[in-house]
């Protein structure tokens, strides 16, 4: 018998989990691993409540997918039971390729391979285990399925993934600017010419969605202290890998050691199953356990970075619209070398500059289409009477300079 399971989600309340294949996928070790990967990495160092996981997000996105399919069927869109199950599986597994600390270490553990690529590889592996039952779900995920709107519900500028992470991240951080009217948005969805559209009555909810997304990026995801913590984590992994590749013996969990001691190309990762087998064993625990041990490592730079991260002695981050002054960077680097007694060749682990960018909305392929009452389709930026939506579609780029706070507090520059 197929029994439905109930999950008590703090955001939506009770979520019904279908029995059969979907339940079996949730029970699989590949999916259970997501319980130990934080959804928003080190954001809890700024917002202490942000300790939710990729596991919760995947279930939440699946719940929203179910609501969307129910709405579309109610408007006469044909979606078979098999297509419904496949769409639910596609969104359930869309983030299964995330590694430890989600986006923060996406290109630090395996360079040049995105989490979407890894999700696809894991889904292929699961498809073998489940005798081809995920074939349609994979087709929807990779946008090979004829019903394009199903892929859009999984991955687009108005997908159930984005809806859930905005709602969930807002809930757990306490940043109310991220709250969106997800029920209203879903009720306004429709399909026109095989494409997901929003009925004109829902235009204001979409405006709110885009503004909320912009605010969440600058207030949460790209908060300067969050950037500081995440970049410190990246620097630690880079230093550990550098030392390991030079033959230095570092403590690491077995599967993390696999990636620290081997230079793996994109092609090698995709063709050698040994690498994927090691990757699906990694989660936040591997990284944290190793960092705690590295706090006592004899390498000055590695131990310094690890101690400062574990004790939340984060770098100062200054954000600006203008490129940083090179003379200032030189002074900061010299001060760091002298104060921390590290080689000049290693100062970039402590003092660095980089660019960050964000655009809340992109006009063009995959844009949000509004179905007007006269039957015409318009991009949201043309359909809206809110003038700043045009501004939201422009990429905003900022420059950051990061350096230890000690340099300022000690008056060293």
């Amino acid at each position: 018998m197929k029994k439905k399971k109930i999950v008590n989600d703090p955001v939506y309340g009770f979520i019904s989990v279908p029995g059969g294949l979907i339940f079996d996928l949730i029970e699989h070790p590949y999916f259970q691993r997501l319980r130990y990967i934080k959804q928003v990495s080190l954001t809890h160092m700024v917002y202490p409540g942000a300790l939710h996981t990729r596991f919760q997000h995947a279930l939440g996105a699946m719940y929203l997918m179910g609501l969307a399919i129910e709405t579309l069927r109610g408007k006469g869109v044909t979606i078979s039971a098999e297509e419904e199950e496949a769409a639910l599986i596609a969104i359930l597994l869309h983030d299964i390729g995330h590694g430890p600390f989600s986006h923060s270490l996406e290109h630090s553990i395996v360079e040049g391979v995105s989490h979407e690529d890894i999700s696809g590889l894991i889904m292929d592996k699961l498809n073998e285990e489940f005798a081809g039952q995920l074939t349609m779900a994979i087709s929807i995920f990779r946008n090979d399925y004829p019903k394009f709107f199903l892929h859009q519900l999984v991955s687009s500028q108005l997908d159930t993934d984005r809806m859930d992470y905005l709602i969930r991240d807002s809930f757990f951080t306490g940043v109310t600017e991220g709250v969106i009217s997800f029920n209203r948005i879903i009720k306004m969805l429709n399909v026109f010419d095989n494409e997901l559209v929003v009925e004109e009555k829902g235009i204001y909810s979409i405006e709110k969605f885009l503004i909320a997304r912009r605010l969440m990026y600058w207030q949460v995801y790209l908060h300067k202290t969050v950037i500081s913590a995440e970049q410190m984590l990246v620097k630690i992994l880079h230093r550990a890998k550098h030392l390991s590749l030079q033959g230095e013996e570092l403590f690491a969990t077995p599967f993390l050691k696999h990636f620290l001691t081997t230079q793996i190309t994109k092609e090698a990762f995709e063709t050698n199953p040994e690498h994927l087998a090691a990757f699906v064993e990694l989660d936040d625990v591997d990284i944290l356990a190793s960092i705690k041990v590295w706090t006592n490592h004899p390498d000055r730079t590695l131990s310094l970075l690890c101690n400062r991260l574990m004790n939340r002695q984060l770098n100062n981050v200054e954000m600006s619209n203008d490129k940083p002054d090179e003379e200032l960077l030189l002074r900061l680097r010299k001060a760091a070398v002298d104060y921390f007694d590290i080689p000049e060749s290693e100062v970039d682990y402590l003092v660095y500059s980089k660019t960050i960018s964000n655009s809340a909305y992109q006009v063009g392929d995959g844009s949000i289409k509004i179905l007007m009452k006269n039957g015409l389709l318009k991009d949201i930026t043309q359909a809206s009477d809110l003038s700043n939506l045009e501004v939201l579609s422009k990429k905003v780029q900022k420059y950051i300079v990061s350096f230890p706070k000690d340099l300022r507090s000690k008056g060293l520059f």
Side-chain angles (χ1 to χ4, degrees):
M1 285 180 63
K2 287 187 177 181
K3 288 186 178 179
K4 279 191 175 180
K5 304 291 180 180
I6 304 294
V7 175
N8 192 353
D9 182 75
V11 177
Y12 306 120
F14 291 109
I15 294 176
S16 292
V17 177
L21 178 58
I22 290 176
F23 180 74
D24 289 344
L25 287 168
I26 290 172
E27 289 284 280
H28 195 282
Y30 290 175
F31 192 81
Q32 289 294 315
R33 164 182 163 273
L34 298 181
R35 289 182 183 272
Y36 310 106
I37 295 177
K38 291 183 188 68
Q39 168 76 5
V40 283
S41 187
L42 293 172
T43 301
H44 64 276
M45 288 197 165
V46 178
Y47 301 102
L51 291 163
H52 53 302
T53 65
R54 288 278 156 189
F55 183 90
Q56 294 164 280
H57 165 59
L59 291 181
M62 185 185 72
Y63 170 74
L64 295 183
M65 176 67 81
L67 293 183
I69 288 172
E70 182 184 345
T71 294
L72 295 178
R73 276 183 176 153
K75 295 179 180 180
V77 179
T78 302
I79 302 171
S80 69
E82 292 77 17
E83 288 170 335
E84 177 182 16
E85 182 180 64
L88 291 173
I89 291 170
I91 193 64
L92 183 73
L93 302 181
H94 78 284
D95 271 348
I96 203 167
H98 265 297
F101 292 98
S102 295
H103 291 284
S104 299
L105 297 179
E106 185 155 339
H107 296 289
S108 297
I109 293 173
V110 185
E111 293 179 30
V113 185
S114 70
H115 77 273
E116 291 94 349
D117 293 335
I118 299 174
S119 290
L121 293 172
I122 294 173
M123 288 168 77
D124 289 336
K125 183 74 175 164
L126 286 168
N127 201 28
E128 290 176 21
E129 287 189 35
F130 286 89
Q133 294 182 78
L134 278 67
T135 300
M136 188 185 293
I138 293 169
S139 182
I140 290 171
F141 176 77
R142 289 187 168 137
N143 196 18
D144 295 329
Y145 196 69
K147 293 186 178 178
F148 174 54
F149 66 88
L150 291 175
H151 172 75
Q152 288 180 293
L153 287 170
V154 175
S155 180
S156 67
Q157 294 198 74
L158 187 63
D159 55 34
T160 51
D161 169 33
R162 291 189 185 197
M163 278 189 256
D164 181 80
Y165 77 60
L166 282 178
I167 301 158
R168 192 166 301 278
D169 297 349
S170 172
F171 179 90
F172 282 99
T173 58
V175 178
T176 56
E177 286 82 357
V179 175
I180 61 169
S181 308
F182 72 93
N183 268 317
R184 173 74 175 170
I185 291 172
I186 288 174
K187 292 294 182 189
M188 293 299 107
L189 293 179
N190 209 330
V191 172
F192 183 85
D193 197 21
N194 199 31
E195 193 172 358
L196 193 69
V197 297
V198 180
E199 293 169 358
E200 188 177 351
K201 291 180 291 184
I203 195 167
Y204 299 118
S205 298
I206 302 301
E207 290 174 352
K208 172 71 166 58
F209 167 80
L210 293 176
I211 292 167
R213 189 163 182 267
R214 177 183 181 274
L215 293 173
M216 283 293 285
Y217 264 87
W218 291 119
Q219 205 162 327
V220 177
Y221 311 127
L222 296 177
H223 187 289
K224 64 180 184 177
T225 309
V226 172
I227 290 171
S228 177
E230 292 181 352
Q231 283 302 307
M232 192 170 283
L233 182 63
V234 170
K235 298 289 185 184
I236 288 170
L237 260 290
H238 284 182
R239 183 63 182 168
K241 190 160 189 172
H242 172 75
L243 293 172
S244 294
L245 290 172
Q246 285 190 326
E248 183 86 26
E249 186 61 37
L250 262 71
F251 167 87
T253 60
F255 300 106
L256 177 58
K257 185 165 283 191
H258 175 89
F259 291 98
L260 291 181
T261 57
T262 314
Q263 197 73 272
I264 302 168
T265 64
K266 185 176 189 289
E267 183 185 8
F269 187 86
E270 292 173 344
T271 55
N272 185 345
E274 182 185 337
H275 300 315
L276 184 64
F279 185 86
V280 295
E281 297 290 346
L282 282 178
D283 56 42
D284 291 5
V285 177
D286 294 80
I287 305 297
L288 277 178
S290 301
I291 287 175
K292 286 178 75 174
V293 175
W294 296 339
T295 58
N296 296 309
H297 194 276
D299 181 78
R300 170 76 173 143
T301 299
L302 180 63
S303 62
L304 182 67
L305 288 169
C306 292
N307 274 291
R308 292 175 79 84
L309 180 65
M310 294 305 295
N311 295 308
R312 202 187 178 277
Q313 295 175 321
L314 305 176
N315 268 16
N316 190 75
V317 168
E318 294 187 351
M319 199 176 290
S320 170
N321 293 324
D322 303 315
K323 285 185 178 180
D325 179 36
E326 285 300 323
E327 189 179 326
L328 170 65
L329 288 171
L330 285 171
R331 291 194 347 253
L332 284 168
R333 289 190 176 104
K334 185 179 185 308
V337 166
D338 295 340
Y339 182 74
F340 292 105
D341 190 26
I342 59 169
E344 195 172 327
S345 60
E346 295 171 19
V347 73
D348 284 346
Y349 288 107
L350 293 175
V351 178
Y352 58 88
S353 65
K354 66 178 281 141
T355 58
I356 56 172
S357 61
N358 174 45
S359 59
Y361 178 68
Q362 293 175 327
V363 179
D365 290 343
S367 57
I368 300 173
K369 301 287 179 63
I370 305 297
L371 181 61
M372 309 303 288
K373 289 174 185 174
N374 61 8
L376 295 176
L377 280 185
K378 283 188 177 181
D379 186 277
I380 179 65
T381 54
Q382 274 77 55
S384 172
D385 55 9
L386 197 61
S387 59
N388 66 358
L389 276 196
E390 290 273 4
V391 177
L392 288 182
S393 65
K394 293 177 181 175
K395 182 180 278 190
V396 177
Q397 180 171 279
K398 292 183 181 289
Y399 300 90
I400 67 165
V401 174
S402 179
F403 58 91
K405 290 179 180 178
D406 319 49
L407 302 185
R408 172 165 284 165
S409 63
K410 304 286 185 185
L412 299 175
F413 76 97

